[in-house]
mmCIF file of all heavy atoms in Angstrom:
data_model
loop_
_atom_site.group_PDB
_atom_site.id
_atom_site.type_symbol
_atom_site.label_atom_id
_atom_site.label_comp_id
_atom_site.label_asym_id
_atom_site.label_seq_id
_atom_site.Cartn_x
_atom_site.Cartn_y
_atom_site.Cartn_z
ATOM 1 N N LEU A 53 -2.292 2.601 108.377
ATOM 2 C CA LEU A 53 -1.219 3.461 107.942
ATOM 3 C C LEU A 53 -0.342 3.896 109.102
ATOM 4 O O LEU A 53 0.883 3.921 109.024
ATOM 5 C CB LEU A 53 -1.751 4.679 107.185
ATOM 6 C CG LEU A 53 -2.295 4.434 105.789
ATOM 7 C CD1 LEU A 53 -3.064 5.651 105.281
ATOM 8 C CD2 LEU A 53 -1.188 4.065 104.840
ATOM 9 N N ASP A 54 -0.994 4.267 110.214
ATOM 10 C CA ASP A 54 -0.270 4.692 111.410
ATOM 11 C C ASP A 54 0.581 3.565 111.967
ATOM 12 O O ASP A 54 1.627 3.832 112.606
ATOM 13 C CB ASP A 54 -1.232 5.184 112.478
ATOM 14 C CG ASP A 54 -1.868 6.532 112.147
ATOM 15 O OD1 ASP A 54 -1.383 7.193 111.195
ATOM 16 O OD2 ASP A 54 -2.851 6.885 112.819
ATOM 17 N N SER A 55 0.194 2.319 111.745
ATOM 18 C CA SER A 55 1.002 1.198 112.239
ATOM 19 C C SER A 55 2.181 0.927 111.317
ATOM 20 O O SER A 55 3.028 0.093 111.637
ATOM 21 C CB SER A 55 0.147 -0.056 112.392
ATOM 22 O OG SER A 55 -0.166 -0.603 111.122
ATOM 23 N N GLY A 56 2.249 1.633 110.188
ATOM 24 C CA GLY A 56 3.380 1.507 109.308
ATOM 25 C C GLY A 56 3.146 0.674 108.069
ATOM 26 O O GLY A 56 4.095 0.496 107.269
ATOM 27 N N LEU A 57 1.925 0.205 107.846
ATOM 28 C CA LEU A 57 1.670 -0.561 106.642
ATOM 29 C C LEU A 57 1.568 0.367 105.441
ATOM 30 O O LEU A 57 1.158 1.516 105.547
ATOM 31 C CB LEU A 57 0.342 -1.319 106.775
ATOM 32 C CG LEU A 57 0.300 -2.401 107.825
ATOM 33 C CD1 LEU A 57 -1.057 -3.077 107.844
ATOM 34 C CD2 LEU A 57 1.403 -3.437 107.634
ATOM 35 N N THR A 58 1.958 -0.136 104.292
ATOM 36 C CA THR A 58 1.876 0.652 103.051
ATOM 37 C C THR A 58 0.465 0.520 102.473
ATOM 38 O O THR A 58 -0.280 -0.406 102.796
ATOM 39 C CB THR A 58 2.881 0.134 102.009
ATOM 40 O OG1 THR A 58 2.507 -1.212 101.633
ATOM 41 C CG2 THR A 58 4.308 0.174 102.532
ATOM 42 N N THR A 59 0.112 1.430 101.571
ATOM 43 C CA THR A 59 -1.204 1.362 100.961
ATOM 44 C C THR A 59 -1.324 0.094 100.121
ATOM 45 O O THR A 59 -2.400 -0.481 100.005
ATOM 46 C CB THR A 59 -1.499 2.589 100.085
ATOM 47 O OG1 THR A 59 -0.469 2.768 99.125
ATOM 48 C CG2 THR A 59 -1.637 3.849 100.942
ATOM 49 N N GLU A 60 -0.226 -0.375 99.567
ATOM 50 C CA GLU A 60 -0.289 -1.634 98.782
ATOM 51 C C GLU A 60 -0.676 -2.804 99.671
ATOM 52 O O GLU A 60 -1.553 -3.624 99.312
ATOM 53 C CB GLU A 60 1.065 -1.907 98.134
ATOM 54 C CG GLU A 60 1.085 -3.220 97.355
ATOM 55 C CD GLU A 60 2.435 -3.564 96.778
ATOM 56 O OE1 GLU A 60 3.327 -2.677 96.730
ATOM 57 O OE2 GLU A 60 2.617 -4.719 96.375
ATOM 58 N N ILE A 61 -0.070 -2.874 100.839
ATOM 59 C CA ILE A 61 -0.411 -3.982 101.770
ATOM 60 C C ILE A 61 -1.840 -3.808 102.252
ATOM 61 O O ILE A 61 -2.614 -4.784 102.314
ATOM 62 C CB ILE A 61 0.595 -4.025 102.943
ATOM 63 C CG1 ILE A 61 1.964 -4.444 102.402
ATOM 64 C CG2 ILE A 61 0.094 -4.959 104.016
ATOM 65 C CD1 ILE A 61 3.083 -4.297 103.426
ATOM 66 N N ILE A 62 -2.222 -2.592 102.588
ATOM 67 C CA ILE A 62 -3.578 -2.342 103.084
ATOM 68 C C ILE A 62 -4.598 -2.748 102.034
ATOM 69 O O ILE A 62 -5.597 -3.406 102.336
ATOM 70 C CB ILE A 62 -3.733 -0.875 103.503
ATOM 71 C CG1 ILE A 62 -2.852 -0.573 104.703
ATOM 72 C CG2 ILE A 62 -5.206 -0.550 103.807
ATOM 73 C CD1 ILE A 62 -2.743 0.894 105.053
ATOM 74 N N ARG A 63 -4.358 -2.399 100.773
ATOM 75 C CA ARG A 63 -5.270 -2.757 99.700
ATOM 76 C C ARG A 63 -5.446 -4.278 99.617
ATOM 77 O O ARG A 63 -6.546 -4.779 99.378
ATOM 78 C CB ARG A 63 -4.766 -2.213 98.359
ATOM 79 C CG ARG A 63 -5.631 -2.560 97.186
ATOM 80 C CD ARG A 63 -5.167 -1.936 95.853
ATOM 81 N NE ARG A 63 -3.779 -2.122 95.585
ATOM 82 C CZ ARG A 63 -2.830 -1.177 95.676
ATOM 83 N NH1 ARG A 63 -3.144 0.021 96.073
ATOM 84 N NH2 ARG A 63 -1.592 -1.446 95.400
ATOM 85 N N ARG A 64 -4.395 -5.013 99.864
ATOM 86 C CA ARG A 64 -4.469 -6.470 99.728
ATOM 87 C C ARG A 64 -5.139 -7.133 100.945
ATOM 88 O O ARG A 64 -5.728 -8.192 100.812
ATOM 89 C CB ARG A 64 -3.056 -7.010 99.568
ATOM 90 C CG ARG A 64 -2.455 -6.540 98.252
ATOM 91 C CD ARG A 64 -1.043 -6.972 98.100
ATOM 92 N NE ARG A 64 -1.005 -8.293 97.497
ATOM 93 C CZ ARG A 64 0.116 -8.916 97.194
ATOM 94 N NH1 ARG A 64 1.282 -8.346 97.416
ATOM 95 N NH2 ARG A 64 0.081 -10.125 96.646
ATOM 96 N N ILE A 65 -5.078 -6.483 102.123
ATOM 97 C CA ILE A 65 -5.658 -7.130 103.303
ATOM 98 C C ILE A 65 -7.035 -6.600 103.684
ATOM 99 O O ILE A 65 -7.760 -7.264 104.443
ATOM 100 C CB ILE A 65 -4.721 -7.079 104.509
ATOM 101 C CG1 ILE A 65 -4.530 -5.633 104.998
ATOM 102 C CG2 ILE A 65 -3.393 -7.757 104.200
ATOM 103 C CD1 ILE A 65 -3.753 -5.551 106.327
ATOM 104 N N LEU A 66 -7.428 -5.439 103.183
ATOM 105 C CA LEU A 66 -8.725 -4.876 103.556
ATOM 106 C C LEU A 66 -9.900 -5.836 103.343
ATOM 107 O O LEU A 66 -10.773 -5.904 104.199
ATOM 108 C CB LEU A 66 -9.006 -3.572 102.808
ATOM 109 C CG LEU A 66 -8.511 -2.288 103.449
ATOM 110 C CD1 LEU A 66 -8.803 -1.096 102.555
ATOM 111 C CD2 LEU A 66 -9.088 -2.079 104.804
ATOM 112 N N PRO A 67 -9.928 -6.593 102.265
ATOM 113 C CA PRO A 67 -11.049 -7.516 102.107
ATOM 114 C C PRO A 67 -11.156 -8.538 103.220
ATOM 115 O O PRO A 67 -12.259 -9.029 103.517
ATOM 116 C CB PRO A 67 -10.766 -8.203 100.766
ATOM 117 C CG PRO A 67 -9.868 -7.273 100.039
ATOM 118 C CD PRO A 67 -9.037 -6.598 101.096
ATOM 119 N N PHE A 68 -10.079 -8.840 103.873
ATOM 120 C CA PHE A 68 -10.079 -9.852 104.952
ATOM 121 C C PHE A 68 -10.458 -9.249 106.298
ATOM 122 O O PHE A 68 -10.590 -9.959 107.284
ATOM 123 C CB PHE A 68 -8.721 -10.532 105.051
ATOM 124 C CG PHE A 68 -8.276 -11.117 103.741
ATOM 125 C CD1 PHE A 68 -7.141 -10.638 103.115
ATOM 126 C CD2 PHE A 68 -8.968 -12.153 103.147
ATOM 127 C CE1 PHE A 68 -6.709 -11.170 101.907
ATOM 128 C CE2 PHE A 68 -8.557 -12.678 101.939
ATOM 129 C CZ PHE A 68 -7.426 -12.204 101.327
ATOM 130 N N LEU A 69 -10.545 -7.925 106.368
ATOM 131 C CA LEU A 69 -10.805 -7.283 107.658
ATOM 132 C C LEU A 69 -12.238 -6.877 107.871
ATOM 133 O O LEU A 69 -12.574 -6.242 108.862
ATOM 134 C CB LEU A 69 -9.893 -6.022 107.758
ATOM 135 C CG LEU A 69 -8.412 -6.265 107.640
ATOM 136 C CD1 LEU A 69 -7.646 -4.948 107.738
ATOM 137 C CD2 LEU A 69 -7.906 -7.241 108.692
ATOM 138 N N ASP A 70 -13.107 -7.282 106.967
ATOM 139 C CA ASP A 70 -14.525 -6.884 107.068
ATOM 140 C C ASP A 70 -15.353 -7.846 107.915
ATOM 141 O O ASP A 70 -16.569 -7.752 107.912
ATOM 142 C CB ASP A 70 -15.134 -6.792 105.677
ATOM 143 C CG ASP A 70 -14.665 -5.560 104.929
ATOM 144 O OD1 ASP A 70 -14.311 -4.576 105.606
ATOM 145 O OD2 ASP A 70 -14.652 -5.574 103.706
ATOM 146 N N GLY A 71 -14.727 -8.792 108.565
ATOM 147 C CA GLY A 71 -15.471 -9.739 109.372
ATOM 148 C C GLY A 71 -16.000 -10.918 108.564
ATOM 149 O O GLY A 71 -16.697 -11.769 109.090
ATOM 150 N N ILE A 72 -15.699 -10.922 107.281
ATOM 151 C CA ILE A 72 -16.115 -12.046 106.450
ATOM 152 C C ILE A 72 -15.060 -13.122 106.596
ATOM 153 O O ILE A 72 -13.859 -12.852 106.432
ATOM 154 C CB ILE A 72 -16.242 -11.602 104.959
ATOM 155 C CG1 ILE A 72 -17.256 -10.526 104.811
ATOM 156 C CG2 ILE A 72 -16.525 -12.820 104.079
ATOM 157 C CD1 ILE A 72 -17.254 -9.867 103.441
ATOM 158 N N LEU A 73 -15.490 -14.307 106.921
ATOM 159 C CA LEU A 73 -14.528 -15.386 107.069
ATOM 160 C C LEU A 73 -14.099 -15.890 105.693
ATOM 161 O O LEU A 73 -14.929 -16.244 104.858
ATOM 162 C CB LEU A 73 -15.141 -16.532 107.891
ATOM 163 C CG LEU A 73 -15.457 -16.182 109.315
ATOM 164 C CD1 LEU A 73 -16.111 -17.394 110.010
ATOM 165 C CD2 LEU A 73 -14.222 -15.755 110.090
ATOM 166 N N VAL A 74 -12.819 -15.890 105.478
ATOM 167 C CA VAL A 74 -12.251 -16.343 104.217
ATOM 168 C C VAL A 74 -11.563 -17.676 104.476
ATOM 169 O O VAL A 74 -10.791 -17.813 105.419
ATOM 170 C CB VAL A 74 -11.228 -15.319 103.667
ATOM 171 C CG1 VAL A 74 -10.612 -15.812 102.370
ATOM 172 C CG2 VAL A 74 -11.903 -13.991 103.444
ATOM 173 N N HIS A 75 -11.853 -18.643 103.646
ATOM 174 C CA HIS A 75 -11.218 -19.938 103.797
ATOM 175 C C HIS A 75 -9.708 -19.790 103.639
ATOM 176 O O HIS A 75 -9.243 -19.062 102.746
ATOM 177 C CB HIS A 75 -11.782 -20.926 102.750
ATOM 178 C CG HIS A 75 -11.382 -22.312 103.012
ATOM 179 N ND1 HIS A 75 -10.146 -22.849 102.655
ATOM 180 C CD2 HIS A 75 -12.021 -23.306 103.650
ATOM 181 C CE1 HIS A 75 -10.080 -24.080 103.039
ATOM 182 N NE2 HIS A 75 -11.211 -24.408 103.638
ATOM 183 N N PRO A 76 -8.911 -20.429 104.515
ATOM 184 C CA PRO A 76 -7.442 -20.279 104.456
ATOM 185 C C PRO A 76 -6.858 -20.593 103.094
ATOM 186 O O PRO A 76 -5.819 -20.021 102.709
ATOM 187 C CB PRO A 76 -6.944 -21.252 105.523
ATOM 188 C CG PRO A 76 -8.098 -21.474 106.429
ATOM 189 C CD PRO A 76 -9.362 -21.281 105.599
ATOM 190 N N ASP A 77 -7.505 -21.463 102.322
ATOM 191 C CA ASP A 77 -6.962 -21.803 100.990
ATOM 192 C C ASP A 77 -7.043 -20.631 100.019
ATOM 193 O O ASP A 77 -6.399 -20.617 98.984
ATOM 194 C CB ASP A 77 -7.720 -23.003 100.406
ATOM 195 C CG ASP A 77 -7.461 -24.268 101.172
ATOM 196 O OD1 ASP A 77 -6.434 -24.326 101.925
ATOM 197 O OD2 ASP A 77 -8.254 -25.218 101.038
ATOM 198 N N CYS A 78 -7.846 -19.621 100.367
ATOM 199 C CA CYS A 78 -7.998 -18.456 99.484
ATOM 200 C C CYS A 78 -6.877 -17.443 99.653
ATOM 201 O O CYS A 78 -6.696 -16.571 98.828
ATOM 202 C CB CYS A 78 -9.332 -17.757 99.749
ATOM 203 S SG CYS A 78 -10.775 -18.790 99.383
ATOM 204 N N VAL A 79 -6.130 -17.566 100.720
ATOM 205 C CA VAL A 79 -5.016 -16.639 100.972
ATOM 206 C C VAL A 79 -3.744 -17.299 100.400
ATOM 207 O O VAL A 79 -3.339 -18.357 100.816
ATOM 208 C CB VAL A 79 -4.853 -16.357 102.474
ATOM 209 C CG1 VAL A 79 -3.725 -15.369 102.691
ATOM 210 C CG2 VAL A 79 -6.146 -15.803 103.037
ATOM 211 N N THR A 80 -3.122 -16.588 99.432
ATOM 212 C CA THR A 80 -1.964 -17.139 98.772
ATOM 213 C C THR A 80 -0.751 -17.178 99.698
ATOM 214 O O THR A 80 -0.670 -16.418 100.661
ATOM 215 C CB THR A 80 -1.604 -16.309 97.523
ATOM 216 O OG1 THR A 80 -1.174 -15.021 97.970
ATOM 217 C CG2 THR A 80 -2.779 -16.175 96.582
#
Side-chain angles (χ1 to χ4, degrees):
L53 287 169
D54 289 347
S55 73
L57 295 180
T58 65
T59 55
E60 178 184 346
I61 292 170
I62 294 169
R63 179 176 49 255
R64 295 175 88 177
I65 66 171
L66 271 177
F68 306 115
L69 302 179
D70 287 333
I72 300 170
L73 295 178
V74 178
H75 192 278
D77 293 341
C78 296
V79 181
T80 66

